[in-house]
Amino acid sequence: MRILVIGSGGREHALLTGLKADPTVTDLHIAPGSPAHAKQATVHPEYSQVDDPARMVELAVDIAADLVVIGPEVPLVKGVADALRERGIAVFGPSASAAQIEGSKAFAKDVMAAAGVRTARAEQLAPGTNDADIEAALDRFGPHFVVKDDGLAGGKGVVVTESRDAARAHVDAVHAAGNPVLLESFLDGPEVSLFCLVDGETVVPLLPAQDHKRAYDNDEGPNTGGMGAYTPLPWLPADGTQRIVDEVCVPVAKEMVKRGTPYTGLLYAGLAWGKEGPAVVEFNCRFGDPETQAVLALLKSPLGEVLNATATGRLASLAPLEWEEGYAVTVVLAAEGYPASPRKGDPITSPDLDDPTRVLHAGTTTGEGGYVSNGGRVLNVLGRGATLADARAAAYEVLDGIKLEGSFFRKDIALPAEKGQISI
């Protein structure tokens, strides 16, 4: 099976690593990819316009791809999957209409309301809303404000704050960019990320994970695209994953079919588990980053077979997924200045840079003498172990051997769970 992966970050590096281990995968390509990905796949840097359906179809046809796996959300919302399917090419990823589950938070709220899925109360404020109406809306949602860009923001378009001034500033910033704003009520309880393979009304969950969004230890600093994650969740009830599938993912999948926009691919449910059970914070239409890096590190089932079965309508007949015992942790090494203005071009040294079981490249390229930083989240460091403490220790041991001037990482990824400080 010849597979094309679309994307260039750590999530895509994790996908390549999993696909490379599948004996049914005979040829791997990635566009645009990065130099680090050349160890596992043919890299096509000239195809950098991943949101251009015509260009992606051109490449897939040129290499005779049997399956295309779309990593980022933008190509999905822009209809790349639709264009590929029109050419008869199997695609892992939803149509543009189904991808609105991430592309429009208002659309997602409407789907959840129709499906009877618990989520936060919300109001949309369109660009041009007058000051009085904005202030009145903030009155209805304080004192704990959740303000979201109602569009694609790469996981970074959300402000959660008790500062009314900060909430208003984010409303103004999103409106200035021409986008609507969604105000939401705050959902209490620990967060869960659950990825589900979806093929129409068939839903198969992967391992539950937890992401750490804030830039600094103790959940301080600005929201980021994610500073680390771990899986599975020792504090989640034994029936927790199944409850999320039954109460959230299956009803949403059925509602999408009912609307004539059946979902196929990866549905990512981000949830808060409060006193009444799981409630949806947001949906994403693709593998989450960096949770994917930890989750796929424990998958024993052949990844190519799993993705292809989903893409070709055979998910219901797929054998039950098999998982390695133990835990996996990923920690993000970020560039100086991330997330506001990350510095690029600094050399990176480590004995593990070419070992994808330890280090996945999220934002690197090559310069004189080796790898250099080329993004905000530069590397995803992996650790596995029989216990969560062992997995954490393995990840941080690798981090101790990495040198990148000005870089930083959170030292408390998965630590509250290790200490038993998270409960439902």
Side-chain angles (χ1 to χ4, degrees):
M1 182 164 46
R2 184 177 291 108
I3 297 180
L4 168 63
V5 175
I6 294 176
S8 61
R11 165 185 49 213
E12 287 74 35
H13 201 178
L15 288 165
L16 290 178
T17 302
L19 292 168
K20 188 73 173 177
D22 185 340
T24 69
V25 178
T26 55
D27 198 12
L28 268 177
H29 296 256
I30 185 168
S34 78
H37 299 156
K39 306 287 183 181
Q40 296 162 305
T42 301
V43 180
H44 298 271
E46 68 277 15
Y47 285 89
S48 60
Q49 306 104 316
V50 297
D51 60 348
D52 183 335
R55 286 287 282 166
M56 294 300 100
V57 169
E58 177 185 306
L59 175 58
V61 169
D62 184 56
I63 66 172
D66 299 304
L67 173 67
V68 177
V69 179
I70 301 176
E73 62 274 18
V74 175
L76 293 166
V77 173
K78 295 289 187 179
V80 170
D82 304 75
L84 288 161
R85 288 192 181 99
E86 287 172 6
R87 290 297 297 265
I89 300 169
V91 186
F92 183 85
S95 65
S97 56
Q100 287 302 302
I101 200 83
E102 177 173 2
S104 168
K105 293 175 179 63
F107 173 82
K109 291 290 186 186
D110 187 59
V111 170
M112 285 185 277
V117 170
R118 292 183 62 246
T119 187
R121 177 175 59 88
E123 289 183 27
Q124 188 187 64
L125 300 175
T129 301
N130 64 52
D131 284 346
D133 287 344
I134 292 174
E135 291 299 325
L138 290 171
D139 287 341
R140 291 191 290 274
F141 282 88
H144 208 131
F145 301 96
V146 179
V147 187
K148 296 183 176 183
D149 184 334
D150 188 18
L152 294 178
K156 297 182 283 291
V158 181
V159 166
V160 181
T161 180
E162 292 182 4
S163 166
R164 187 186 181 98
D165 289 343
R168 177 59 197 263
H170 193 56
V171 171
D172 293 342
V174 174
H175 279 171
N179 293 333
V181 166
L182 214 64
L183 296 181
E184 289 191 352
S185 57
F186 179 73
L187 294 173
D188 67 333
E191 292 197 5
V192 181
S193 297
L194 185 66
F195 302 164
C196 288
L197 304 168
V198 179
D199 168 19
E201 294 188 6
T202 303
V203 176
V204 175
L206 307 189
L207 291 179
Q210 187 178 62
D211 184 16
H212 294 64
K213 281 289 188 187
R214 299 285 186 172
Y216 311 127
D217 286 359
N218 302 313
D219 288 328
E220 296 180 356
N223 264 355
T224 72
M227 294 298 293
Y230 66 98
T231 187
L233 308 181
W235 46 267
L236 194 68
D239 66 344
T241 295
Q242 194 59 49
R243 275 196 64 183
I244 295 169
V245 170
D246 293 342
E247 296 177 21
V248 175
C249 300
V250 167
V252 164
K254 288 183 175 180
E255 176 62 22
M256 297 293 279
V257 170
K258 182 179 176 181
R259 290 172 178 236
T261 54
Y263 198 96
T264 178
L266 197 291
L267 180 65
Y268 165 175
L271 311 110
W273 197 298
K275 294 178 181 178
E276 298 178 22
V280 175
V281 176
E282 65 177 356
F283 285 113
N284 290 331
C285 62
R286 36 70 190 185
F287 277 107
D289 187 346
E291 298 100 321
T292 298
Q293 289 83 313
V295 170
L296 292 187
L298 296 180
L299 181 65
K300 287 175 65 176
S301 299
L303 181 60
E305 180 183 329
V306 169
L307 302 184
N308 191 49
T310 307
T312 56
R314 297 180 293 107
L315 181 59
S317 62
L318 185 71
L321 298 181
E322 296 183 12
W323 300 94
E324 300 282 358
E325 296 290 334
Y327 294 82
V329 172
T330 185
V331 182
V332 170
L333 182 74
E336 180 178 343
Y338 179 75
S341 54
R343 199 169 80 184
K344 299 181 181 181
D346 292 314
I348 311 164
T349 60
S350 166
D352 299 306
L353 286 180
D354 287 321
D355 182 354
T357 67
R358 292 173 177 259
V359 175
L360 298 168
H361 290 245
T364 70
T365 188
T366 48
E368 292 184 14
Y371 292 112
V372 299
S373 58
N374 192 43
R377 293 185 293 173
V378 181
L379 299 173
N380 303 141
V381 174
L382 288 169
R384 285 178 47 191
T387 67
L388 192 53
D390 291 341
R392 291 189 71 250
Y396 284 107
E397 181 181 5
V398 174
L399 274 162
D400 287 342
I402 300 175
K403 300 293 184 284
L404 171 61
E405 185 179 352
S407 64
F408 69 97
F409 57 88
R410 282 186 57 162
K411 299 177 179 63
D412 63 347
I413 300 301
L415 184 59
E418 178 193 326
K419 291 185 172 182
Q421 295 172 344
I422 303 177
S423 62
I424 290 175

